[in-house]
Amino acid sequence: VSTARFEQMIKAGAFAEYARVYEDWKGLERSEIERPLRRGQDVIIRTDVNGVRHWRRTLEGAVTVVIIAAGHKTPAEYHKTITRARIVNREPDISLAKLQTRLDEVDDELADADNNDYVVVNHHNGLDSAVAELLAIVSYERANVSRATPRLV
């Protein structure tokens, strides 16, 4: 979608969430959330810390889960090390200033972790365990009659 079209869609209220991320527009259309919710389906949104803050305000009944990597260092140190490696692998020519900005966001993400409903720690060589924990959360929350039916507000 072109920048002009994206901006038209913003004005038309087409997005449930949108933001300028590293000089590019990113967004999630309302229909991508509303359609599956009307069918009673789960909606999983992979987002950053700013996105989850948005969803806490605008998606009633949302269950938020943050997944952090942990290894032999403290979870925060290891998560930052892993994140740095992923960024550099995806963007080998990234400037040091841009890399530092991204790593500062990791600090913000870790500081916000306790504001989520769940924190899943993905231990070194523990992917199966983290996946099992996520599946248990989904099962529990599907059966949780006290949770509001998810809807955009």
Side-chain angles (χ1 to χ4, degrees):
V1 174
S2 71
T3 299
R5 175 70 182 130
F6 197 97
E7 290 171 352
Q8 288 173 339
M9 292 171 73
I10 290 171
K11 289 177 187 169
F15 293 105
E17 178 203 24
Y18 64 91
R20 192 131 190 144
V21 180
Y22 309 117
E23 301 162 24
D24 292 318
W25 281 111
K26 305 283 183 185
L28 185 58
E29 291 185 52
R30 294 183 69 85
S31 62
E32 293 180 69
I33 303 292
E34 292 170 334
R35 192 175 317 122
L37 289 179
R38 277 194 303 273
R39 293 190 300 250
Q41 296 175 317
D42 297 321
V43 176
I44 297 174
I45 302 168
R46 182 175 175 257
T47 188
D48 65 6
V49 67
N50 292 315
V52 77
R53 288 175 180 149
H54 168 81
W55 293 114
R56 284 188 207 121
R57 292 187 315 271
T58 61
L59 186 56
E60 183 178 290
V63 175
T64 60
V65 179
V66 64
I67 303 169
I68 62 170
H72 302 293
K73 302 176 182 181
T74 68
E77 290 170 340
Y78 188 73
H79 186 71
K80 197 164 187 173
T81 300
I82 292 299
T83 302
R84 182 185 194 289
R86 286 181 184 148
I87 293 168
V88 171
N89 283 337
R90 276 190 304 236
E91 299 177 52
D93 298 327
I94 192 169
S95 71
L96 288 177
K98 189 173 180 182
L99 177 61
Q100 187 58 53
T101 298
R102 302 276 292 275
L103 293 175
D104 290 345
E105 290 171 2
V106 173
D107 290 335
D108 194 27
E109 176 182 299
L110 291 168
D112 188 68
D114 288 339
N115 293 320
N116 290 279
D117 297 304
Y118 299 92
V119 176
V120 173
V121 179
N122 183 11
H123 294 279
H124 182 68
N125 292 326
L127 180 60
D128 290 342
S129 177
V131 169
E133 189 172 351
L134 282 168
L135 291 173
I137 290 167
V138 170
S139 293
Y140 173 80
E141 290 297 338
R142 282 179 178 160
N144 183 357
V145 295
S146 65
R147 184 171 60 91
T149 301
R151 69 179 185 90
L152 287 172
V153 292

